[in-house]
Amino acid sequence: MKVSKQHFLWPKVKFNFSSFFGFNRIDNTEKELHKMFPSGYPVLCSSGRVALYIAINESNLDRSKKINLYPYASHCVLNTIGRLTNPNPYMSENQIDIIYHQWGVTFNCNHKPLIEDSVDSLYERNTPLFQGGAKFEIWSLPKILGTTSGGILWCKKEKDAILIRSKINNKKGIIFSWILRLLSYKFSLFYSLWEGTEKGYKGLSRLQINEIFSQIKLWDKVVENRKEKLDIFKKYSILNDNNLEGRLPSCLPVKTNISEKKLDGFGFSTGIRHFLTETTLEKVFPLPIHQDVSISSLNNLFKNGG
């Protein structure tokens, strides 16, 4: 029997209108984040794609250059890179300029990338950032915490963070763009309108900051929930401890013979996807273990999925 609740790669955005109200400021929120992860200096911005835009621009990548991508890069990554420079499709013989720690699984490479895409990486407190040695690292807060907006550009050097913060626009058009984003969660036709505004050094309104700060306060609770499921279900995945190193993935890459239709019937709509290991590109089922997924629903899948 088909279940009513479907789970995807990341937690669903939750609307808690009371969290939009308060007196939190961007600088206080960034200080809180730095206290949690002292190896980097955070710059809060509108989204993960804006964080990527800023990282590319601050890396002086323009139309005269190419940037080597990881395989199956998403539309938003291609779109953002294409605004500034030339995305180069994945080729195994090329060094990847932007590495993706896919679904929060550490990707270990033998070179220093320009940018680390950690949009869906949930870290335990005090975990060192920039594990690949890059200058910038990107987080998407909707993918990590289920907020309505927000991205973090982590800078390895404090001077870079200070300079970038001075360029962030936290006023002009921010509320209007956020309203488009809120509407897009209910009505898909608003998504392309919001997407057109998601560029430049776009910041956040006070309402968005309040929501983000309230969710950051729940960080340890989210971590404990993820660790509990990781302990139980990691044995079904192709991962080893070297793939984790302080990251807690939103999904576990699992080899399975269960059909996509049957997985969907159990409430898992992630489909079958490609996962890049250090040596190969594997076809896997991304098993969601984020905060929206209960242990009982996961047990049901393995007990009755076949």
Side-chain angles (χ1 to χ4, degrees):
M1 183 176 68
K2 191 173 179 66
V3 296
S4 58
K5 189 173 183 179
Q6 290 288 317
H7 300 300
F8 194 53
L9 299 170
W10 313 290
K12 291 181 179 178
V13 169
K14 297 173 181 64
F15 293 86
N16 180 4
F17 289 98
S18 64
S19 69
F20 299 147
F21 301 99
F23 301 96
N24 297 297
R25 302 197 313 266
I26 285 182
D27 58 343
N28 286 344
T29 307
E30 288 173 338
K31 286 176 183 175
E32 180 68 20
L33 287 162
H34 177 62
K35 187 165 65 175
M36 293 167 65
F37 302 99
S39 62
Y41 299 90
V43 180
L44 277 164
C45 56
S46 176
S47 65
R49 71 176 69 196
V50 165
L52 177 59
Y53 180 101
I54 296 170
I56 292 169
N57 201 49
E58 293 294 323
S59 299
N60 298 315
L61 294 168
D62 56 26
R63 289 290 177 202
S64 67
K65 300 180 177 68
K66 290 184 178 181
I67 188 164
N68 294 327
L69 297 181
Y70 50 83
Y72 298 95
S74 67
H75 161 75
C76 74
V77 169
L78 292 169
N79 180 274
T80 302
I81 293 171
R83 290 178 184 267
L84 294 167
T85 185
N86 303 294
N88 204 29
Y90 172 75
M91 297 182 69
S92 58
E93 63 268 24
N94 290 345
Q95 287 191 348
I96 304 173
D97 294 318
I98 301 179
I99 62 169
Y100 175 31
H101 299 293
Q102 190 172 356
W103 310 322
V105 178
T106 298
F107 180 76
N108 296 303
C109 60
N110 57 8
H111 67 279
K112 184 184 290 187
L114 296 173
I115 300 164
E116 297 187 47
D117 185 341
S118 301
V119 288
D120 41 17
S121 290
L122 175 67
Y123 284 93
E124 295 185 70
R125 283 178 185 262
N126 297 309
T127 299
L129 307 178
F130 317 105
Q131 292 185 10
K135 187 178 179 181
F136 298 112
E137 183 166 334
I138 295 160
W139 289 8
S140 171
L141 294 175
K143 287 183 170 71
I144 298 170
L145 296 175
T147 56
T148 61
S149 64
I152 303 174
L153 175 62
W154 286 97
C155 304
K156 184 178 282 188
K157 296 181 179 178
E158 185 178 18
K159 66 177 183 179
D160 291 329
I162 292 170
L163 177 63
I164 294 168
R165 286 174 193 148
S166 71
K167 301 178 183 180
I168 296 288
N169 164 37
N170 290 311
K171 295 181 180 179
K172 189 176 179 181
I174 298 301
I175 288 287
F176 174 72
S177 177
W178 182 47
I179 291 172
L180 289 177
R181 185 53 170 151
L182 293 177
L183 289 170
S184 75
Y185 288 120
K186 298 293 184 183
F187 309 101
S188 59
L189 64 91
F190 286 98
Y191 182 83
S192 60
L193 297 175
W194 166 77
E195 191 176 38
T197 70
E198 208 63 9
K199 59 185 177 180
Y201 287 66
K202 183 180 168 190
L204 296 158
S205 68
R206 175 66 67 86
L207 297 173
Q208 292 165 281
I209 288 294
N210 286 328
E211 181 198 21
I212 289 166
F213 191 84
S214 70
Q215 290 302 305
I216 287 172
K217 288 299 183 183
L218 300 176
W219 194 276
D220 293 337
K221 183 178 178 181
V222 176
V223 165
E224 287 307 310
N225 176 277
R226 192 76 54 87
K227 286 173 72 175
E228 182 180 9
K229 281 176 274 192
L230 187 61
D231 286 344
I232 298 171
F233 298 103
K234 189 182 78 170
K235 63 186 178 184
Y236 297 108
S237 77
I238 62 173
L239 299 182
N240 57 55
D241 290 339
N242 292 332
N243 298 123
L244 301 173
E245 299 179 357
R247 294 177 200 263
L248 304 170
S250 63
C251 297
L252 293 172
V254 174
K255 289 282 192 179
T256 182
N257 293 319
I258 306 175
S259 69
E260 290 189 50
K261 183 178 180 180
K262 193 169 185 179
L263 289 168
D264 191 73
F266 278 94
F268 297 92
S269 57
T270 54
I272 303 299
R273 295 174 180 253
H274 288 88
F275 178 79
L276 182 65
T277 71
E278 285 79 6
T279 55
T280 59
L281 198 57
E282 302 273 2
K283 269 194 169 184
V284 300
F285 160 53
L287 176 71
I289 60 167
H290 52 70
Q291 54 267 42
D292 286 0
V293 188
S294 68
I295 290 176
S296 61
S297 65
L298 291 165
N299 279 329
N300 183 49
L301 173 66
F302 285 103
K303 182 179 178 181
N304 300 309

